[in-house]
Every structure is written in structure tokens, then in C-alpha cells.
Amino acid sequence: AEYYIEMTVLPSTDASLSGLAITPGTLAPAFVSSTQSYAAEVPDGTTSALVTATPSDPGATVAYASSAGPCAVGRDAEWQVRTGVTTTPQSAMSCEVAGPKTWITATVTAADGATIAAYVIEVTVTEATPTPTPTATPTETSTAVPTETATPLSTNTPGGPTETPTP
């Protein structure tokens, strides 16, 4: 008698990331797969940030969203913006940033299609520090003319001693 064992391999339920980064900027706290909420600061004038989200399971996909506008990758950017499709097996997308705060979400869908995890980066656009303009320091000028006060050598006081000349 022959026996057969049929095995069905179920798709992975792993919706975690093995890496998450933003350029420009640095994640705070440092990336740990179990942490799903981060903050990052970008310099004033930044209009987009490259977010790199690497799924732990290569069969998982990542969808990107930004509260400031679309996220897109490479030459497909125009098509992605037009269609709204921002899911990719690729690990990086450029997302719009607008100050003072933007939230960028990398949503990971496991290979099973049902397990989902969202990683959120709160991006703060730092304000440029104005460079102080040097100003001339005013100098004091004096227009006062010094006056002298005479100090008498002797005083004749009425009712005081009088000299009587000798004959």
C-alpha cells in the first residue's frame, strides 16, 4: 500500500518590517521591528522625504501614505499619483512633506493578504533659524561743556573779625 501526505503551505502572516528609514532625517527612537510609532525632523524647505520600509517577509507588500500628499516611486510616479496606487514590493518611496507636521504611514500587508501592520513616522519640518543682522552700536556723544567753580582763598564774613590798622 502506498500512502501520500498532502501538505499545504499557508502564506506567511508576518507583517513586520526588518528596516525603516527616512531621508533626510533620523528616526527617533531608533528602529526596532516591534515599535510602530516614530518621529523625525527634516530641515526647513523640505518638500519630500524618501521612506525606506523593508518587510521582514519578502512576500509582504508595503503601501505608503502621507498626510501632505501622494507618495510615489521612480518613473512610475506620475501613474501612481494619477491612479492612487501606492502599493509596492519595493522598499522605498518618496512622500510629500509639508510643515510644520506630516504623518507618513508605511502599511505592511503580509503574504496571507489579511495580516496588516502600520508603521507611522511623524515628520516635523524645523523652522530655519534667522541669521541676526549686525547693527551698529551707538556711541554716546556729550555736548556738555565743563564749568569751573572758583574756590575763594579767604572769605570776609559780615560780623566776623575785623582788622584794625595800626597807626
Side-chain angles (χ1 to χ4, degrees):
E2 287 186 35
Y3 297 95
Y4 294 96
I5 298 175
E6 189 175 304
M7 292 178 51
T8 303
V9 177
L10 299 175
S12 172
T13 59
D14 186 357
S16 67
L17 291 177
S18 61
L20 181 64
I22 186 169
T23 304
T26 303
L27 294 179
F31 176 76
V32 175
S33 185
S34 59
T35 301
Q36 293 178 297
S37 182
Y38 296 90
E41 289 186 350
V42 297
D44 188 33
T46 301
T47 58
S48 67
L50 182 67
V51 178
T52 305
T54 307
S56 298
D57 176 24
T61 58
V62 180
Y64 296 81
S66 169
S67 64
C71 296
V73 63
R75 60 184 169 80
D76 297 330
E78 184 180 325
W79 176 81
Q80 290 174 348
V81 169
R82 199 172 53 247
T83 62
V85 175
T86 56
T87 302
T88 178
Q90 298 179 22
S91 62
M93 278 215 181
S94 178
C95 295
E96 285 190 20
V97 172
K101 294 211 183 275
T102 299
W103 288 266
I104 297 175
T105 305
T107 303
V108 185
T109 302
D112 70 354
T115 308
I116 296 172
Y119 292 79
V120 179
I121 304 170
E122 180 182 310
V123 181
T124 302
V125 178
T126 58
E127 290 185 23
T129 306
T131 305
T133 306
T135 56
T137 305
T139 56
E140 287 190 35
T141 57
S142 175
T143 57
V145 177
T147 58
E148 291 185 23
T149 306
T151 308
L153 298 175
S154 65
T155 58
N156 288 331
T157 314
T162 52
E163 282 184 40
T164 313
T166 37

